[in-house]
Amino acid sequence: MYTKRLISFIQDYYQSKDFIPLHAPTFVGNEKKYVLDTLDSTFVSSVGSYVNDFEVNIAKFTQSRFAIATVNGTAALHTALYLSGVQSGELVITQALTFVATCNAISYLGAKPVFVDVNTETLGLCPVALLSFIEEQCEVREQKCFHKNGERIRAAVVMHTFGHPAKVDELKKVCQDNFIELIEDAAESLGTLYKGQHTGTFSSLSALSFNGNKVITTGGGGMLLCSDEKVAAHAKHITTTAKQPHAFEFYHDELAFNYRMPNLNAALGCAQLEKLPEFIESKRALASLYQSELANTPLKFIVEPENARSNYWLNAILCPSKEHRDILLAETNNAGVMTRPVWQLMHTLPMFKESLCGNLNNSIFLAERLVNIPSSVLLTKEL
């Protein structure tokens, strides 16, 4: 009965009996104008004013010192890990409850992910679980952290799940105390604040994503946030093939990446960013309605954690059991209302099945019960 009630609510909210996607982009501003401007200018690739403007405006919005645009969020995270000194054969702690891109970026460097449990309130890496893992399985020698098998733990990556911030200040302290570099995968949390500070700015390096299903989109794109001027300059250098400036010569002074965001995509991003405050208000209003609608049902709506102002990128509900989850997924999708389970836990995937793990009880519990429900911005609704 409560599934039919949820379907009816979603259809009424989006005023549609047809297919309702999980998260569709919204284009109601200057998108066409700015994109056509890039076509008229012929600067559609990695050089153009919109790339620079987008970087400046994202840095201003997030209150980050520097922002470097990339082709996607995975590229931004890969660059962050690279700049943090992660090397082949080293270990990087992260959460099993995450999108595969988090672990792919770690693997690109020849490093290996280590999976630690999440917090049930934030859905992100748990500082208590992280500390327990370090105390039980690691040791610090000469200001370096090593697993008991002898491999060095260079970094930890926290992902702000569905736009809800992890307890990143507590994670940062655990990492600092144990000489581990903390990196934020803030791909889903643009516009999210924790204790009044934007996610992605608690660590020295972090990554954003502007994929087509994110709060704002550039079609495909990402952004590296950085707090150090020299590191930011190096980031821009290595994401643009490490080419030394010259009128006509091609000289590249180090191994690097071709990760620069095209001007065409950045133009779309500049227009989207102008509407971001409205988008977030719309999403927060929808979240409030979901919370009220589901208050007297067996479904628990995932609300923003304490001390947080979440962007509610993807709204999520917690079902009483895996069986309830499977029924809800089948009934909603059969009705044309797109819902989906959370990602397969990373340690269950074939390429990561041999990874080191801590206790993952919370991750397993959540993976069996979480469902994402439609979360598209709808500006025609009264905010």
Side-chain angles (χ1 to χ4, degrees):
M1 178 64 70
Y2 57 84
T3 304
K4 292 181 179 178
R5 175 176 162 183
L6 176 62
I7 291 170
S8 178
F9 169 81
I10 293 170
Q11 290 174 333
D12 288 346
Y13 181 83
Y14 288 105
Q15 299 177 2
S16 175
K17 299 291 184 180
D18 298 323
F19 176 73
I20 299 171
L22 193 66
H23 196 290
T26 300
F27 304 117
V28 291
N30 289 311
E31 288 87 355
K32 289 183 180 179
K33 177 182 176 182
Y34 293 171
V35 170
L36 287 174
D37 185 38
T38 66
L39 298 180
D40 291 339
S41 73
T42 73
F43 286 96
V44 297
S45 192
S46 58
V47 175
S49 62
Y50 283 108
V51 181
N52 298 330
D53 289 346
F54 193 41
E55 289 174 333
V56 169
N57 291 332
I58 286 289
K60 181 178 179 180
F61 182 86
T62 61
Q63 293 297 291
S64 176
R65 287 195 68 199
F66 304 98
I68 297 92
T70 60
V71 292
N72 53 53
T74 307
L77 185 56
H78 179 209
T79 304
L81 289 159
Y82 178 85
L83 291 169
S84 295
V86 174
Q87 298 179 29
S88 180
E90 294 183 332
L91 303 178
V92 176
I93 295 174
T94 191
Q95 54 205 68
L97 187 75
T98 187
F99 182 55
V100 70
T102 306
C103 298
N104 284 345
I106 293 169
S107 302
Y108 294 162
L109 292 164
K112 294 178 283 187
V114 176
F115 299 114
V116 170
D117 214 356
V118 295
N119 177 276
T120 54
E121 178 192 7
T122 69
L123 310 182
L125 189 65
C126 176
V128 175
L130 176 60
L131 181 58
S132 295
F133 178 83
I134 292 172
E135 289 178 341
E136 293 170 7
Q137 299 199 35
C138 306
E139 63 176 348
V140 173
R141 303 193 305 265
E142 299 178 351
Q143 296 189 343
K144 297 177 183 178
C145 186
F146 294 89
H147 188 263
K148 61 185 179 182
N149 67 9
E151 295 174 312
R152 182 179 178 183
I153 298 177
R154 173 76 71 162
V157 178
V158 54
M159 202 270 282
H160 300 297
T161 310
F162 305 148
H164 298 302
K167 297 180 179 181
V168 68
D169 53 345
E170 296 178 32
L171 291 167
K172 185 174 182 178
K173 185 179 188 308
V174 173
C175 287
Q176 287 178 335
D177 289 347
N178 291 279
F179 304 96
I180 296 170
E181 185 74 23
L182 181 65
I183 298 169
E184 292 172 78
D185 182 345
E188 302 172 359
S189 63
L190 180 64
T192 291
L193 304 180
Y194 179 65
K195 295 185 177 179
Q197 184 175 337
H198 199 286
T199 53
T201 64
F202 289 84
S203 55
S204 58
L205 290 162
S206 68
L208 301 175
S209 172
F210 308 110
N211 189 36
N213 66 347
K214 293 302 190 292
V215 181
I216 66 170
T217 183
T218 58
M223 192 76 73
L224 178 74
L225 300 184
C226 181
S227 61
D228 183 272
E229 185 174 5
K230 289 184 178 179
V231 175
H234 190 205
K236 183 165 289 191
H237 185 57
I238 64 170
T239 55
T240 53
T241 71
K243 181 182 181 296
Q244 287 289 339
H246 194 279
F248 51 85
E249 291 284 357
F250 286 85
Y251 180 75
H252 308 262
D253 59 7
E254 64 177 300
L255 184 67
F257 317 114
N258 189 11
Y259 279 172
R260 188 70 166 157
M261 178 186 286
N263 198 43
L264 194 68
N265 298 82
L268 187 63
C270 286
Q272 287 268 286
L273 189 56
E274 293 172 352
K275 291 291 183 179
L276 180 56
E278 294 177 61
F279 289 177
I280 292 174
E281 289 307 312
S282 172
K283 294 175 76 60
R284 288 182 59 82
L286 174 58
S288 180
L289 292 174
Y290 272 136
Q291 185 178 0
S292 297
E293 183 66 22
L294 298 173
N296 298 313
T297 75
L299 304 174
K300 178 185 176 182
F301 183 73
I302 302 298
V303 299
E304 61 192 0
E306 186 180 5
N307 299 315
R309 188 178 191 277
S310 298
N311 66 8
Y312 283 98
W313 169 56
L314 282 186
N315 291 299
I317 52 178
L318 190 69
C319 298
S321 67
K322 184 178 184 298
E323 291 72 25
H324 282 87
R325 182 204 71 171
D326 292 344
I327 292 171
L328 186 145
L329 286 167
E331 291 184 355
T332 50
N333 282 284
N334 287 339
V337 174
M338 185 179 178
T339 59
R340 75 177 189 196
V342 72
W343 318 279
Q344 293 283 330
L345 294 178
M346 293 298 102
H347 73 291
T348 68
L349 300 181
M351 55 282 199
F352 304 123
K353 66 181 181 180
E354 302 300 327
S355 299
L356 295 169
C357 296
N359 184 310
L360 299 176
N361 287 343
N362 290 344
S363 302
I364 294 168
F365 177 87
L366 292 168
E368 291 179 345
R369 294 165 174 80
L370 277 174
V371 173
N372 289 123
I373 53 181
S375 306
S376 300
V377 167
L378 194 59
L379 294 182
T380 56
K381 289 288 183 179
E382 189 172 325
L383 300 182

